[in-house]
Amino acid sequence: MKILAITSCPNGIAHTYMAAENLQKAGAKLGVELKVETQGSIGVENPFTEQDIREADGIIIAADKTVVKDRFVGKKLLVVGVQDGIRRPEELIQRMIKGDVPVYQAQSKSAEAMTGENKPKQNPIYRHLMNGVSYMVPFIVIGGLLIAIALTMGGVKTPGGLVIPDDSIWKTIESIGSAAFTFMVPILAGFIAMSIADRPGLAPGMVGGFIAANGSFYGSEAGAGFIGGIIAGFLAGYAALAIKRLKVPRSLQPIMPIIVIPVLASLVVGLIFVFVIGAPVADLFEALTAWLAGMQGTSSVLLALILGAMISFDMGGPVNKVAFLFGSAMIGEGNYEIMGQIAVAICVPPIAMGLAAMINKRKFTPSEREAGKATFTMGLFGITEGAIPFAAQDPLRVIPSIMVGSMTGSVIAMLGNVGDSVAHGGPIVAVLGAVDQVLMFFLAVIVGAAVSVIMVSLLKKNVAAVTPAVVGEGAEAAEKPAGAEAAPAAPVAADATEAASAESSNGTTTEATPIRVEKLTDIVTPDLINLNLAGTTQDAVIDEMIAVLERNGAVRADGDFKQAILAREQESSTGIGMNIAIPHGKSDAVLKPSVVFGIQQDGVDWKSLDGSEAKLIFMIAVPRNSKQNAHLKVLQMLSRKLMDDDFREALLAVTTKEEAYQLLDQVQ
């Protein structure tokens, strides 16, 4: 008998490989040919071939995250949580042998639904939205930064705006950036729909997103922007899901996911946008344009407030476009002050969100803080879209905050008689000499951004895990945005090089010698082994093991490494059961990747999943600015090897550091 198995946990580290190891051992014990595909943070390993699937008698999915199952239609499929793969592998295989498993059909409920009891409750709307946002972010970064580079290096000020000559290389670079932007809304909508309806929702979502972003379908010059993309994504996803759940003859089931569902769902979302949503949107924006034109000279302050609010409301979407086109038209009539206000409002959202993310660790996850750097840079070049990921993740708090900031900046620009002679915004236009009253321009930007930073810092809730801890098992990662059933982690090579960074006493970051992690002893030495831990509490043991790292020059004594360790423990216990704990963290205080191993023979309460006390404890320390994720490789190696009962017993029985080191040399 041949069985295939897939293991995957929310963060793709220890439990993914523990379940794989136990299933393989159980298969060997029961005389069953079993192949396991792991879907972890390192990527998909040991993937199934078409022949594997064709020859398989059944498939076991032990996962706490969504696994695409389309390739298993017509096969016996057992879907359980990853903990069942760790604790009940023989029982799962016995069920498959007895045939007590249903055959998977295309309309079967998803792994997410089947394992819902094993997962923490999460708002499904938020999860679907974050899935789309996580895939959209790279397109915004590519488009925004390439356009900014092209404008900076090749932009020429003209009466019609900042123009890049058609025959220059910078025009080509700008076109590449613009191409990336055209994918932004379709990608957002497509992956929202895919999160809802699995793969059959992807194509309808992208089609709906394309229609939402191109107003020509429904008579609008501006389109519906990213807000329209969100609407299209949910429409397409739930349309596809509804069609997916229809009972159809068995003969139609094979073509449902590849023909029937995508075609019908695409028609539904497309027709709704073209004939229901699109036309009213177009009429609304035409009315807005006429209204703005009629306000000139009536109330300058009110006009500045309205323009600032419109620019930041949807950050490059239709409302933004109406205000921007109005300002551009005023340039043609010799009125530069309208565009001066808009030029300020354009850059406040990305500058403010970039600053807020970089300086406020309590409100933003590590991935958001990294994204904030690119967002801030886009703001300098007038790319408002840089703030979209933050707005999409938390619209009720972020959008009001950036609107108030842009309105403040716009009013200050109006009062300071700031003028902009080119149809563009951001500090770049001031640097290129297109702005009158430069000092007032920068004052308006600074004050507007400060207002937004303060507001968003007050309104946003603290995130659960904002310190640079290495995310482990048992809790959703803070970044899943960002929620995300997050985007799949980028695969890294199994022999990933840990390009560590060391921080000197004066705070200057330098590159340490790269360390290739092929086995555990690459970052463990006999001096990092303590066979007689004296601590009787979790906190005492953590202090004791950190002291070992400090004595060996792996961690600075005045750093925040302990805070990183404790923050990780607050997410969920790193006690993985079977008397094992693997605390781990990232910090600027870590000077080189290291693992310290300790034994506490009496055991320490680590709040382990199986209630066992931790006796074998591995503490992983990683520099915050590590260029690769070799720590994931270490967690994978440890998780697999520690499933071996004989290995654990041998470790507990060692009497010398050299003996322990020889055993740890087997972990690879």
Side-chain angles (χ1 to χ4, degrees):
M1 186 174 195
K2 182 175 182 178
I3 297 175
L4 304 180
I6 294 176
T7 62
S8 184
C9 54
N11 300 293
I13 309 179
H15 291 163
T16 296
Y17 302 102
M18 291 166 65
E21 190 73 11
N22 282 2
L23 282 166
Q24 287 174 329
K25 289 169 61 178
K29 179 179 178 180
L30 296 173
V32 171
E33 182 183 354
L34 191 142
K35 178 177 180 179
V36 183
E37 173 183 296
T38 56
Q39 297 185 7
S41 291
I42 291 178
V44 175
E45 297 177 283
N46 200 31
F48 303 146
T49 65
E50 291 184 5
Q51 182 177 349
D52 287 333
I53 297 172
R54 187 168 57 250
E55 296 175 351
D57 296 295
I59 294 93
I60 298 171
I61 296 178
D64 284 345
K65 61 181 289 187
T66 300
V67 174
V68 177
K69 306 179 294 299
D70 292 357
R71 50 185 170 157
F72 305 133
V73 172
K75 292 286 183 179
K76 291 182 179 179
L77 181 66
L78 176 61
V79 183
V80 296
V82 72
Q83 288 295 331
D84 290 325
I86 295 172
R87 299 178 183 179
R88 304 190 295 116
E90 290 188 25
E91 179 183 332
L92 300 180
I93 295 173
Q94 290 284 11
R95 284 183 60 184
M96 192 65 71
I97 292 173
K98 295 175 182 178
D100 184 23
V101 177
V103 174
Y104 175 68
Q105 302 298 337
Q107 71 270 23
S108 296
K109 60 183 179 179
S110 67
E112 178 183 28
M114 299 176 84
T115 62
E117 297 83 3
N118 302 312
K119 297 177 68 176
K121 298 295 181 183
Q122 187 183 46
N123 185 328
I125 300 298
Y126 181 80
R127 185 176 68 251
H128 302 323
L129 177 62
M130 291 307 101
N131 192 63
V133 169
S134 64
Y135 282 98
M136 174 185 68
V137 169
F139 292 87
I140 295 177
V141 173
I142 293 168
L145 292 184
L146 287 182
I147 291 173
I149 290 169
L151 287 169
T152 304
M153 305 300 294
V156 177
K157 184 177 68 171
T158 71
L162 200 61
V163 174
I164 301 173
D166 290 337
D167 58 351
S168 72
I169 183 64
W170 305 113
K171 188 65 177 179
T172 302
I173 293 174
E174 182 200 34
S175 299
I176 295 172
S178 298
F181 264 149
T182 63
F183 287 101
M184 179 181 73
V185 175
I187 289 293
L188 171 66
F191 282 94
I192 288 174
M194 185 175 179
S195 178
I196 296 169
D198 289 334
R199 190 172 296 177
L202 178 62
M206 294 189 73
V207 170
F210 181 82
I211 293 171
N214 290 272
S216 59
F217 282 95
Y218 41 85
S220 169
E221 293 185 8
F226 90 96
I227 293 176
I230 291 173
I231 296 171
F234 280 102
L235 277 175
Y238 285 113
L241 188 62
I243 299 168
K244 188 177 176 183
R245 288 174 173 171
L246 293 176
K247 294 187 179 297
V248 298
R250 184 176 295 272
S251 59
L252 289 179
Q253 289 176 357
I255 65 170
M256 286 291 288
I258 59 173
I259 298 176
V260 178
I261 298 173
V263 170
L264 291 182
S266 296
L267 275 174
V268 168
V269 68
L271 293 174
I272 288 176
F273 248 95
V274 171
F275 293 109
V276 179
I277 298 176
V281 168
D283 292 340
L284 173 62
F285 296 140
E286 287 179 7
L288 276 174
T289 304
W291 178 56
L292 288 174
M295 284 193 64
Q296 294 184 68
T298 58
S299 174
S300 298
V301 173
L302 180 58
L303 180 59
L305 288 170
I306 293 170
L307 290 173
M310 292 178 67
I311 286 293
S312 56
F313 173 69
D314 57 357
M315 292 149 286
V319 177
N320 171 289
K321 290 286 194 302
V322 168
F324 183 80
L325 292 172
F326 174 67
S328 301
M330 292 302 100
I331 291 177
E333 296 183 12
N335 183 343
Y336 302 135
E337 291 189 2
I338 298 297
M339 183 53 73
Q341 299 161 33
I342 291 171
V344 170
I346 279 173
C347 63
V348 165
I351 288 176
M353 293 312 303
L355 286 172
M358 288 188 285
I359 66 178
N360 201 331
K361 295 183 178 181
R362 293 183 179 181
K363 306 292 183 178
F364 297 90
T365 65
S367 64
E368 288 173 326
R369 297 202 301 273
E370 285 300 311
K373 298 173 184 177
T375 297
F376 177 80
T377 302
M378 289 186 218
L380 299 179
F381 295 96
I383 308 295
T384 320
E385 287 87 348
I388 287 177
F390 295 96
Q393 291 174 36
D394 194 358
L396 296 181
R397 296 179 179 87
V398 171
I399 292 179
S401 298
I402 59 178
M403 285 177 67
V404 172
S406 289
M407 292 162 70
T408 302
S410 183
V411 169
I412 293 173
M414 183 276 299
L415 295 174
N417 298 315
V418 173
D420 180 9
S421 60
V422 300
H424 198 71
I428 182 63
V429 295
V431 172
L432 294 175
V435 169
D436 300 325
Q437 306 296 334
V438 174
L439 290 179
M440 288 302 298
F441 173 85
F442 280 106
L443 178 63
V445 171
I446 292 169
V447 174
V451 168
S452 290
V453 170
I454 292 169
M455 273 196 67
V456 80
S457 298
L458 292 174
L459 293 177
K460 277 184 70 69
K461 295 180 179 179
N462 291 347
V463 293
V466 296
T467 57
V470 180
V471 181
E473 298 348 288
E476 294 291 340
E479 296 98 311
K480 290 192 177 175
E485 165 85 7
V492 294
D495 63 347
T497 298
E498 190 77 26
S501 62
E503 188 169 292
S504 64
S505 58
N506 63 4
T508 303
T509 302
T510 57
E511 291 296 327
T513 303
I515 297 175
R516 184 176 295 276
V517 181
E518 297 285 355
K519 54 185 179 180
L520 187 62
T521 49
D522 289 336
I523 52 176
V524 174
T525 66
D527 290 336
L528 290 173
I529 296 174
N530 184 343
L531 302 182
N532 298 290
L533 290 170
T536 57
T537 65
Q538 182 185 47
D539 192 68
V541 169
I542 288 173
D543 286 338
E544 196 173 350
M545 299 185 81
I546 290 176
V548 174
L549 291 167
E550 291 173 355
R551 285 196 301 271
N552 285 273
V555 173
R556 285 193 291 107
D558 60 345
D560 63 349
F561 179 60
K562 183 177 180 180
Q563 283 69 35
I565 290 288
L566 294 179
R568 173 60 189 86
E569 294 295 335
Q570 288 175 1
E571 294 176 28
S572 62
S573 173
T574 57
I576 63 175
M578 298 168 290
N579 303 118
I580 302 164
I582 311 179
H584 47 272
K586 273 187 173 183
S587 168
D588 286 333
V590 180
L591 303 177
K592 59 183 178 181
S594 304
V595 174
V596 57
F597 167 60
I599 298 178
Q600 220 294 357
Q601 291 288 353
D602 294 330
V604 177
D605 181 9
W606 216 277
K607 299 180 178 63
S608 299
L609 295 172
D610 62 356
S612 66
E613 294 190 330
K615 297 182 178 181
L616 301 173
I617 305 167
F618 297 83
M619 178 177 285
I620 304 174
V622 184
R624 179 181 300 189
N625 294 324
S626 295
K627 299 290 178 62
Q628 298 289 345
N629 286 325
H631 57 282
L632 300 180
K633 176 66 174 176
V634 173
L635 280 165
Q636 174 192 350
M637 293 188 300
L638 277 172
S639 301
R640 284 186 177 277
K641 190 63 177 177
L642 290 171
M643 292 300 98
D644 186 331
D645 296 337
D646 293 337
F647 181 76
R648 294 198 308 276
E649 292 174 5
L651 270 181
L652 282 170
V654 297
T655 57
T656 67
K657 291 185 178 182
E658 290 72 21
E659 189 179 350
Y661 184 80
Q662 290 176 2
L663 280 173
L664 295 179
D665 193 52
Q666 300 175 22
V667 180
Q668 54 188 332

